[in-house]
Amino acid sequence: MGDRSRLCSVWLGSETGILKGVSLSRKQAFNFCNTSHLSRDQEVRALCWGDAAESELLVGCVDATVKTFSVEKGAFTESRRCGDPAEGCFSGLATLGGGALVTCAESGVLRVWREEGGDEPVTQVDAGKNVCRMRQSPTNPNKVATGGKENGLKIWDLQRPEQPAFSAKNLRDDWLDLRRPYWVRDMAFIPDSDKVVTCTGYHQVHVFDPSSPQRRPVLEAAYGEYPLTALSLTPDGTAVAVGNTQGHIALLDLRKGVVRGCLKGLAGGVRGLQCHASQPLVASCGLDRFLRIHSLEDRKLQHKVYLKSRLNCLLLASQDLQEGGATSGEAESEVKEEEDEGDDVWDAMERVEERQKRKTTEDKDTRKKRKKAQD
């Protein structure tokens, strides 16, 4: 299993509790799970890397357990309880320096856990109810953002968790002086700045700037008519890819707030979306059970893999997606053996000869005409 896991460059979590790895270079997908204990309670809701070397994968499940998967060994090595299942599913998962773990549940309980695996968290913060997503800053690991339904964007400093470092203000009332609802579904930290971009369940994209005195969005844009569910920044940070519940993905320019283009081919709601850190590629997954990878340059579909289960989240390796990790002669021979076995099955099947077709009424009429002509 270790040879298979090292080949994978894309990792996905499914509703059935299976961790799936995909090797784009070999066009293969692998399942990593204990099939004897498979249940809906182990549905995977969050994924993150356990270390900078990307040798460990942290898997957050519905039953409030976080499992550690070793990419080198190709197996789960540890499992720990982080909270109560009654608090809701994980809305985010992250790691801090020293091996500490950060979890956030839908109920808004944000916790920091020690590496030793103690039962009590080091830090606990109430981020408000109905939290849909928690994201960590890529430049400052101690800074995280939360948001949800009727729960505006908040940025927390885990070293000083008493109060949020930034709390967004709701949008201004509409032209009828009615309150405008807000529903933060996902967010991301814009590189080389303090800004944060969010997408909402009301098909809006907002950019907030905590360094400015304004607590409302400094940029507002809209896409489509359906709720946005996921977003991811492009490698240069000038655009954001957003996906909605109808399977539509679009690229929005963060400087002008206009749509650059759309990605086609999806047939179900988008649940996971991530742009590669260095390559112009974006990966998506969702209810249609497919992993799709599009190019950000020409917006064409590059890869499409069917994975048999509805998918909740995905995680890309920082390496070249086409490299597929370390290759070994043993893994190559294993793939060839599987191909040969498939050929043997076809060769062993009984050959069915084509039966003679029944005579049609047209043939009978032709015979009668010939018989009359002879008479």
Side-chain angles (χ1 to χ4, degrees):
M1 295 295 286
D3 295 326
R4 291 184 177 185
S5 61
R6 286 194 291 269
L7 294 173
C8 300
S9 54
V10 185
W11 297 91
L12 303 101
S14 70
E15 283 189 354
T16 53
I18 301 175
L19 175 65
K20 296 176 178 287
V22 177
S23 172
L24 297 178
S25 60
R26 295 179 177 272
K27 302 184 185 301
Q28 284 185 304
F30 306 102
N31 291 338
F32 301 93
C33 65
N34 186 357
T35 54
S36 61
H37 296 88
L38 203 60
S39 67
R40 287 281 180 174
D41 294 337
Q42 298 181 7
E43 176 183 348
V44 180
R45 296 300 296 267
L47 292 173
C48 76
W49 293 112
D51 56 0
E54 298 182 356
S55 63
E56 288 185 347
L57 198 64
L58 298 182
V59 181
C61 302
V62 169
D63 59 357
T65 59
V66 177
K67 301 177 182 178
T68 303
F69 179 82
S70 174
V71 178
E72 299 296 325
K73 299 178 181 178
F76 290 96
T77 58
E78 186 183 354
S79 178
R80 61 184 296 184
R81 176 77 63 176
C82 296
D84 188 351
E87 296 172 348
C89 304
F90 287 123
S91 57
L93 204 61
T95 56
L96 294 176
L101 177 65
V102 183
T103 63
C104 184
E106 291 179 341
S107 61
V109 182
L110 178 65
R111 296 186 176 100
V112 180
W113 306 83
R114 293 189 184 92
E115 182 183 10
E116 294 79 13
D119 296 334
E120 296 297 326
V122 180
T123 305
Q124 181 167 322
V125 177
D126 183 10
K129 297 180 180 180
N130 302 320
V131 174
C132 295
R133 193 78 72 190
M134 183 272 289
R135 294 286 189 187
Q136 184 182 37
S137 171
T139 57
N140 185 0
N142 288 303
K143 184 183 293 186
V144 297
T146 61
K149 190 170 186 178
E150 295 300 327
N151 186 353
L153 173 69
K154 296 183 182 68
I155 300 177
W156 303 86
D157 186 351
L158 296 179
Q159 294 178 334
R160 294 181 293 273
E162 295 81 14
Q163 294 291 332
F166 173 80
S167 181
K169 199 172 182 179
N170 192 18
L171 302 174
R172 298 184 187 278
D173 296 343
D174 61 11
W175 62 281
L176 290 174
D177 288 336
L178 297 176
R179 176 184 174 275
R180 296 169 65 182
Y182 52 98
W183 184 3
V184 179
R185 297 296 299 268
D186 202 354
M187 73 282 295
F189 289 86
I190 300 177
D192 301 326
S193 70
D194 295 329
K195 297 180 181 178
V196 178
V197 58
T198 67
C199 66
T200 74
Y202 302 104
H203 58 89
Q204 304 161 328
V205 176
H206 295 150
V207 177
F208 295 90
D209 188 1
S211 62
S212 70
Q214 183 176 347
R215 292 169 55 197
R216 289 191 171 97
V218 296
L219 176 68
E220 295 184 40
Y223 169 67
E225 300 177 355
Y226 301 100
L228 299 178
T229 54
L231 66 77
S232 180
L233 287 167
T234 57
D236 57 3
T238 60
V240 61
V242 295
N244 64 16
T245 56
Q246 298 297 308
H248 303 151
I249 299 178
L251 297 174
L252 274 71
D253 194 316
L254 292 178
R255 294 166 293 187
K256 300 180 180 179
V258 296
V259 177
R260 285 186 182 178
C262 299
L263 307 180
K264 298 180 180 179
L266 283 79
V270 180
R271 286 187 174 177
L273 196 63
Q274 185 178 352
C275 295
H276 194 268
S278 57
Q279 294 179 277
L281 299 172
V282 57
S284 61
C285 69
L287 297 180
D288 63 355
R289 298 174 169 85
F290 279 94
L291 164 69
R292 290 181 175 86
I293 296 182
H294 289 81
S295 170
L296 292 174
E297 295 176 342
D298 54 11
R299 301 191 295 278
K300 291 184 178 179
L301 183 65
Q302 304 292 322
H303 300 279
K304 180 180 176 181
V305 184
Y306 181 65
L307 296 172
K308 300 183 181 180
S309 302
R310 295 203 291 184
L311 306 169
N312 289 329
C313 51
L314 65 85
L315 187 64
L316 298 180
S318 59
Q319 63 182 1
D320 189 341
L321 295 184
Q322 298 292 341
E323 289 180 0
T327 58
S328 63
E330 184 179 350
E332 291 178 2
S333 62
E334 183 180 356
V335 174
K336 291 179 180 178
E337 287 175 5
E338 290 180 358
E339 294 176 354
D340 295 340
E341 288 176 2
D343 296 336
D344 294 339
V345 171
W346 288 108
D347 294 338
M349 291 180 68
E350 182 181 356
R351 186 173 180 178
V352 180
E353 299 292 342
E354 186 178 0
R355 294 182 179 179
Q356 188 176 1
K357 294 182 179 179
R358 294 182 178 179
K359 296 179 181 180
T360 61
T361 56
E362 184 179 354
D363 295 337
K364 294 179 180 178
D365 294 340
T366 305
R367 285 202 313 272
K368 289 180 180 179
K369 289 180 182 179
R370 286 178 182 174
K371 192 172 182 180
K372 288 181 180 180
Q374 290 175 359
D375 295 341

